[in-house]
Each structure stands twice: as structure tokens, then as C-alpha cells.
Amino acid sequence: MKKKSVAVFKCLIDFIFPRHCYGCRNTLEFYEKNLCLGCQIKLPHTSLHLTHKNLLYEQLKFRIPLEAATSLFYFEKNGVLAHLIHLLKYSGEKKIGAFLGSWLGDHLEESPFFNEIDGIVPVPLHPVKKRKRGYNQADLIAHALSKKINSPVLSKILIRVKNTSALAQLGESEREQEVQNAFELNSNRLNHPQHLLLVDDVLTTGATLIACANALAKNGNIKLSIAVLACRL
């Protein structure tokens, strides 16, 4: 009886203040949150979290010391996911970061490869870009993850010292040159061995995450894993 009353109340609220799907803009049902079921079905899930030596891990392991790597989705240039990422990064829709970050957290909870994470490190934005955007989307993802896997967000460990140009317009070698020495380790924030989870929204060539990993590795006391919302393989 109580559940029925809650459902009726939610339907009434949605009638007065209708919520819309971030993907297709259709009105959401009371049991849907942020995305309608139709748009959720269209998202290209990876299931990489269920396999240790998956395609993403194999792609990165020769470039950086790595414990595990996963991505919630495969990135497609067009479609629902690309639209969601664009809204998150450029339209101020911070709820999307929390929603997708929580979804990624559900997958990490299912995985045996991410159950001993000591801290979550979001890829930092340069202060100039962060002031312009108003927030760091990787921070939003990291804090949603933190609630799921019960690990603290360590947002002060990495500092972005170079205001890089838009990487989306660059080729792989150009990206690597652009992010070279773009990050520095705040050694005062990391004083004992830890297993850190490096988090970002999209992994394309891996140049940014590799540059972050190289900066973190200078400490010498860490193990490193990677989790992103979407990747291109």
C-alpha cells in the first residue's frame, strides 16, 4: 500500500512538474530517472569491468603501469551518449555526471578488480577552463563513484599546470605532445602506498590519462587503475 501511494505521489508531481529525458527530451515516467528506458537501451555498454585483461587494459598496459581498466560505454561519435557527454561538458548539465558516475559505480561494485581502491583521482582541469565551465566534469563523476565504492575523492593530488588546447581537433601524436608535462604531482598529498583510481569522462587515444598516470607514478608508492564513462577502442 505504501509503495502504491509513493508511485501515485510521484505521478502527481510529474504531472505538475514534468521531467524530460536528457537523450530524446520525451517526458519521463515516474520510475525513470534522467534517461528514458528507450535511450538507456541504445547506450553501447562494454561489460569490460567483468574481464581483467580486457581490450582497454591491453591497449594501455604497455604505456603505463596498470592494475585494471574499464569503461562503462563505447564512445560513438553520434547518438545518445555523445549528446549526453556534450550536455555534461558544455551545457552545465551536472546531473548527467552524477547519474552516469553512479552507473559506473554500480559496475565497479560488480567487478572483482576494483574492490581495493584507496582513493579516486579525477583528471584535473586547468584553472582557466574550470572557471569558465564552472566545474570539472571528472570531479562530478568521481564523487558519484565515491558514494558507490566508499573511497575518498583525492582531487588535490594532481595539478594541471598547462592550459592545453582542445584535444578533439588533434591527431594522436599531436595530443601526446600537447599534454606532455601538462600535469604535476602534489607530493604533499600522497605520503603512503595507495591503489588509486584515475577517472575521466572519455578516453580517446589515452594521451591525457597516460600523462596523468606518468605524473602520479613519480611518487613511486602507488598502484593505478583507470575508469572512464566512455572509450574508443
Side-chain angles (χ1 to χ4, degrees), residues 175-206:
R175 287 177 186 232
E176 291 179 359
Q177 292 177 2
E178 185 66 18
V179 296
Q180 188 174 14
N181 300 319
F183 303 94
E184 288 185 358
L185 176 66
N186 185 352
S187 58
N188 294 329
R189 299 280 178 169
L190 192 61
N191 298 316
H192 56 88
Q194 295 189 49
H195 183 181
L196 301 180
L197 181 66
L198 188 58
V199 170
D200 205 3
D201 53 354
V202 179
L203 186 154
T204 305
T205 66

Side-chain angles (χ1 to χ4, degrees), residues 106-225:
D106 289 335
H107 281 228
L108 296 191
E109 283 187 306
E110 295 175 0
S111 174
F113 313 116
F114 298 88
N115 54 11
E116 294 183 354
I117 301 296
D118 297 307
I120 303 170
V121 181
V123 171
L125 281 181
H126 190 273
V128 172
K129 285 185 179 178
K130 188 173 182 180
R131 282 196 296 271
K132 183 178 180 180
R133 187 171 297 173
Y135 57 92
N136 177 6
Q137 71 277 2
D139 267 330
L140 302 177
I141 299 164
H143 278 90
L145 275 176
S146 176
K147 294 177 182 178
K148 288 289 183 176
I149 66 174
N150 197 30
S151 294
V153 178
L154 308 176
S155 57
K156 303 295 186 181
I157 284 180
L158 272 183
I159 304 168
R160 194 164 193 151
V161 295
K162 180 180 178 182
N163 190 10
T164 55
S165 58
L167 299 181
Q169 311 303 321
L170 303 178
E172 183 172 354
S173 60
E174 294 173 311
R175 287 177 186 232
E176 291 179 359
Q177 292 177 2
E178 185 66 18
V179 296
Q180 188 174 14
N181 300 319
F183 303 94
E184 288 185 358
L185 176 66
N186 185 352
S187 58
N188 294 329
R189 299 280 178 169
L190 192 61
N191 298 316
H192 56 88
Q194 295 189 49
H195 183 181
L196 301 180
L197 181 66
L198 188 58
V199 170
D200 205 3
D201 53 354
V202 179
L203 186 154
T204 305
T205 66
T208 299
L209 285 164
I210 289 167
C212 289
N214 287 335
L216 288 170
K218 291 178 181 178
N219 179 272
N221 287 326
I222 68 162
K223 295 189 294 185
L224 185 66
S225 292

Side-chain angles (χ1 to χ4, degrees), residues 14 19-21 26-30 32-36:
D14 283 345
R19 298 171 300 117
H20 297 94
C21 172
N26 288 335
T27 302
L28 292 170
E29 300 291 343
F30 76 91
E32 296 174 325
K33 186 177 181 181
N34 297 306
L35 279 181
C36 68

Side-chain angles (χ1 to χ4, degrees), residues 47-55 57 68-70 111-114:
S47 296
L48 293 177
H49 65 292
L50 299 177
T51 306
H52 182 208
K53 296 182 180 180
N54 56 54
L55 292 175
Y57 174 85
T70 192
S111 174
F113 313 116
F114 298 88

